[in-house]
Amino acid sequence: MINLIMPKMGESVAEATILKWLKKEGDRIEADEPILEIATDKVDTEVPSPAAGILSKCLFAEGQVVKVGEVIAMISSDKEETAGSPNNGSAAPAKREESLTMNSSKPVEVVESKASSSEKALSGRFYSPLVRNIAKEQGIALSELDLVIGSGANNRLTKQDLLNHIEALKKPSGIPAMNGRQEIKVSMPVSPAPTPASASTSFSGNVEIIEMDRMRKLIADHMVMSKQTSPHVTSYVEADVTNLVNWRERIKGDFEKREKEKITYTPLFIEAVCKAIKDFPMVNVSVDGTKIIVKKYINIGMAAALPTGNLIVPVIKNADYLNLTGLTKVVNDLATRARNNKLKPDEIQDGTFTITNVGTFGNVMGTPIINQPQVAILAVGAIRKKPAVIETPEGDTIGIRQMMFLSLSYDHRVVDGSLGGSFLRRIADYLEKFDTTRQF
């Protein structure tokens, strides 16, 4: 008997939600054939079978949240099926139960009983062990949890949903109540049931109500968490990138002929950021309580817009080790597969710094939200021709230059104005002093 284990989808991912079983119990499966689809707060993916055989038992239902490392299904190998066939299946169940007891430490019946008694309320709603422990510590009953709207899949209550609810409990509502629990139920719109107010929003026929998809809920949760975690500060500089623009215009045709790739501005921006991070390594950090974790590697995330309007951030690992041609190929590949939803889980993990190009949408600048657990994010605006003062040995003059704004949002807990401002200025310096004679 083979255990199918919930795989680890990244360093910070401790659990995953089962979206859909692609196979049902008793189905024949081949090695590496997808058995189910799972979702984390970062990516959706399929879980393949580790071997050929028969799917004997599915231990969790669709919509349930499973911790990394837990057994999610049992697979009977071809040898076991052959050995059990003379008894017409009579010996196979005993062998399956024995395998479960040895490998999972508990029979299937015990696992299922645990899931139903420990993780589901009387209402049938699923709660992860972490959520239940926090609720127990705060003295929140299951009946109250049932009233809190969840942002996870199938209205699942996430840790952040519960923490937001607990924080709201501390705020005065201005409405008298018998006790704290009654006060919250009166003051907070936590019930998922329709209310007269919500029903009246569409009476005229001129209002459309759209439920957020799962990815949009996760993005919203992540953005709110980032704002609650990091005190954001944003600095701006304007850079003259005329040399960079002229160089790209001159070589882009030859570059595409030789490399079969189009060179955009993104790899040029990434190259400048990598150089600046080496000059100011304290921007390439994360925070763990009162500890600052300095990353010795440079993994650059680049925000990419999906056809749905959602954003995803593929990561270029060890970007400082790549030359401009290598960066171009990786950037183009990740961007294409991001738009086609073909990214692998590992390709959106472990970023240490993020770049977002708001200029793609014609914006000249932006105030991006930090991609946790990073401490800084750079927004690059649209490049526009503008009149600018040009300093020459013969005196100052006015000329038409290619100008752009760069904005850096940073975590003021660990990045002060001097570090953030100097780092941003250094990026602009590398872009402005671009060598127009360089070869690609």
Side-chain angles (χ1 to χ4, degrees):
M1 189 68 66
I2 300 171
N3 291 337
L4 180 62
I5 305 296
M6 177 61 73
K8 186 174 179 62
M9 307 299 291
E11 290 184 3
S12 61
V13 178
E15 61 183 22
T17 302
I18 296 178
L19 292 181
K20 182 180 180 181
W21 284 99
L22 304 176
K23 298 290 184 179
K24 60 181 182 295
E25 292 182 6
D27 281 358
R28 168 75 187 180
I29 50 179
E30 301 298 331
D32 297 325
E33 184 179 5
I35 296 180
L36 72 159
E37 295 177 354
I38 63 173
T40 70
D41 59 351
K42 299 178 182 294
V43 71
D44 296 355
T45 190
E46 295 176 339
V47 178
S49 173
I54 303 296
L55 181 58
S56 300
K57 187 69 176 178
C58 300
L59 302 182
F60 294 91
E62 292 179 358
Q64 282 194 276
V65 179
V66 184
K67 290 184 178 180
V68 169
E70 283 197 43
V71 179
I72 52 180
M74 307 297 296
I75 301 171
S76 300
S77 66
D78 290 334
K79 293 182 179 179
E80 290 173 323
E81 291 299 317
T82 302
S85 58
N87 296 313
N88 197 21
S90 60
K95 190 170 185 179
R96 176 164 59 241
E97 182 176 351
E98 178 186 358
S99 174
L100 277 169
T101 305
M102 294 172 59
N103 298 325
S104 179
S105 76
K106 292 185 179 181
V108 175
E109 291 77 11
V110 176
V111 173
E112 293 177 341
S113 173
K114 180 181 178 181
S116 59
S117 62
S118 299
E119 299 176 348
K120 286 193 176 182
L122 294 177
S123 63
R125 189 182 189 189
F126 173 80
Y127 297 110
S128 69
L130 178 60
V131 168
R132 295 176 70 91
N133 288 338
I134 294 175
K136 183 178 180 180
E137 292 173 359
Q138 298 295 324
I140 299 176
L142 286 178
S143 58
E144 182 174 339
L145 287 184
D146 289 341
L147 298 176
V148 183
I149 297 176
S151 62
N154 300 318
N155 193 33
R156 180 172 67 86
L157 189 67
T158 66
K159 171 188 173 183
Q160 192 60 48
D161 295 330
L162 180 55
L163 294 179
N164 291 342
H165 177 70
I166 293 171
E167 185 66 25
L169 290 173
K170 302 176 183 178
K171 298 180 181 179
S173 65
I175 301 176
M178 294 289 292
N179 56 52
R181 294 289 177 260
Q182 290 179 343
E183 179 179 342
I184 290 303
K185 290 179 183 178
V186 171
S187 62
M188 291 184 63
V190 295
S191 176
T195 63
S198 62
S200 64
T201 56
S202 59
F203 72 94
S204 66
N206 293 325
V207 175
E208 181 183 4
I209 301 175
I210 301 175
E211 179 68 21
M212 289 185 184
D213 60 27
R214 189 188 64 83
M215 190 171 187
R216 175 51 55 185
K217 289 179 182 178
L218 293 173
I219 291 173
D221 187 53
H222 190 64
M223 294 297 98
V224 171
M225 180 271 290
S226 181
K227 278 290 191 178
Q228 291 175 338
T229 301
S230 300
H232 282 56
V233 176
T234 305
S235 297
Y236 306 86
V237 297
E238 188 174 23
D240 182 345
V241 292
T242 304
N243 289 343
L244 183 148
V245 172
N246 290 343
W247 179 84
R248 175 182 172 272
E249 288 297 318
R250 178 171 57 83
I251 65 93
K252 65 180 183 181
D254 293 337
F255 186 94
E256 185 173 0
K257 288 180 181 178
R258 193 186 81 177
E259 303 296 336
K260 311 303 180 187
E261 297 277 357
K262 292 184 177 180
I263 183 170
T264 64
Y265 289 111
T266 299
L268 299 170
F269 296 150
I270 293 175
E271 183 183 60
V273 167
C274 289
K275 292 179 180 178
I277 287 177
K278 289 187 174 182
D279 295 337
F280 298 93
M282 290 306 294
V283 174
N284 198 52
V285 305
S286 62
V287 180
D288 181 13
T290 58
K291 299 180 179 65
I292 300 175
I293 313 300
V294 183
K295 308 297 176 61
K296 300 298 184 181
Y297 49 90
I298 300 176
N299 295 345
I300 304 296
M302 56 175 200
L306 301 176
T308 59
N310 294 324
L311 290 175
I312 195 167
V313 185
V315 176
I316 303 170
K317 305 292 178 64
N318 298 310
D320 53 319
Y321 289 173
L322 300 174
N323 61 18
L324 189 57
T325 300
L327 283 173
T328 300
K329 290 181 180 294
V330 174
V331 165
N332 291 349
D333 174 59
L334 290 176
T336 299
R337 288 192 291 114
R339 288 190 292 268
N340 295 325
N341 197 28
K342 298 295 184 182
L343 290 174
K344 300 175 183 177
D346 183 61
E347 292 172 329
I348 57 173
Q349 305 285 339
D350 302 326
T352 62
F353 186 91
T354 297
I355 299 175
T356 179
N357 190 346
V358 299
T360 301
F361 315 110
N363 303 147
V364 295
M365 65 177 67
T367 55
I369 298 177
I370 298 168
N371 186 16
Q372 298 291 332
Q374 300 166 26
V375 299
I377 180 173
L378 176 73
V380 293
I383 300 174
R384 303 187 304 167
K385 291 182 180 180
K386 296 174 61 177
V389 175
I390 304 173
E391 297 180 357
T392 68
E394 291 76 23
D396 295 344
T397 183
I398 299 293
I400 297 176
R401 307 293 289 176
Q402 301 277 3
M403 308 294 292
M404 71 178 297
F405 283 100
L406 307 171
S407 53
L408 181 77
S409 293
Y410 47 93
D411 187 339
H412 215 354
R413 294 178 300 171
V414 291
V415 181
D416 57 25
S418 174
L419 174 58
S422 299
F423 172 72
L424 181 61
R425 183 63 254 175
R426 186 62 55 85
I427 296 173
D429 289 342
Y430 281 125
L431 295 176
E432 289 185 337
K433 297 175 182 178
F434 190 86
D435 181 8
T436 57
T437 63
R438 68 180 290 181
Q439 301 297 314
F440 57 87

